[in-house]
Amino acid sequence: FSFNLAADCNAVLKALQPIFQEQGMTETVHNWEDHGYLVTYIKKNGSFANLRIHPHGLVLVDLQSYNDDMKGREEVDQLLNKVEERMKELIHGNIKRVKRLPAILRGGVIDRYWPTADGRLVEYDIDEVVYDEDSPFQNIKILHSKQFGNILILSGDVNLAESDLAYTQAIMGSGKEDYTGKEVLILGGGDGGILYEIVKLKPKMVTMQTSNIDQMVIDGCKKHMRKTCGDVLDNLKGDCYQVLIEDCIPVLKRYAKEGRMFDYVINDLTAVPISTSPEEDSTWEFLRLILDLSMKVLKQDGKYFTQGNCINLTDALTLYEEQLSRLYCPVEFSKETVCVPSYMELWVFYTIWKKQTDI
């Protein structure tokens, strides 16, 4: 509850006390002269409520219940309805805002809460744990969402859902490219989505270069995310593609030494780091190395596609664009913003190409 005026903390407390007492809840009151009240109400079944009354005109009620059945939820709603009615009677027309948040379900078998890239907490409509395995390097989860289908989550980071064709199309150039007869290199892409979509476009050859840690991702996705990858992960070689499961950096160095060139390089290894803190330094170094090596195997008229990050992370995106001016060869770039359904945020994608020099 937010008021248009200062709160009479004692009056609020006395008005709400009977509601909790009727529930058989015991009361503990903490009073600070200039900072209002914190009151804790505890019920015999372990349910409890925290009532925080701020003198500047803010009242917070946090109710936690161990009853997960319909009857328990109805009891909670009834109690909160009584609190809201009493507050409106007490404050009359001076309540600026009443906000009731949905219940957070803690300790459940299925974790439905995952953070966005810009730090917001999103509750997904997850109803099933489809796959949950630990590799030596990361945790791999595939969870089922009623809206988005199966979602691949790597070490707590939402990667891709079966609904996220928009992501795959954006990192391939948003339908503006002709892949017919072209040589394509995919870095990462363990979910198989990019490979599946490019193979449909009749390329000459697609080499998907995953990292060593991706085998378990591939195993999970080829079984549980077939709407995304189709059948391309069933075999590591097809008529116009091959999947290499090994460290991509030595392979890129070998390609550069051999003079092997590609029309398109698609980097789906990692998003742009969100800061330059010490724990992110290694990721920035990895990105710079991948960029330089990719430019060395990219044809002069070729294109490099990659994801950036959430559109709200402007500092991180600016830092990434600064890296592009430090490569061994001059490059130019463009970017577009796409709504990726399961991310519940706008995502930035980059197209990078070698700058054409006049002879």
Side-chain angles (χ1 to χ4, degrees), residues 1 3-10 12 31-38 52-60:
F1 302 89
F3 308 155
N4 291 319
L5 44 86
D8 183 337
C9 297
N10 191 52
V12 171
N31 179 15
W32 300 277
E33 290 185 4
D34 298 325
H35 301 286
Y37 289 94
L38 170 63
R52 184 69 172 96
I53 308 170
H54 295 271
H56 66 273
L58 179 66
V59 176
L60 306 175

Side-chain angles (χ1 to χ4, degrees), residues 168-186 194 197-206 240 263-266 303-305:
T168 303
Q169 291 174 333
I171 206 169
M172 290 171 52
S174 294
K176 302 172 186 174
E177 305 299 321
D178 182 6
Y179 285 92
T180 307
K182 300 297 174 62
E183 291 272 0
V184 183
L185 177 62
I186 302 171
I194 299 171
E197 295 302 322
I198 286 184
V199 165
K200 298 177 186 177
L201 303 177
K202 315 246 180 246
K204 179 180 180 182
M205 175 57 66
V206 182
C240 63
D263 298 286
Y264 295 98
V265 177
I266 302 175
K303 290 183 179 178
Y304 174 97
F305 296 117

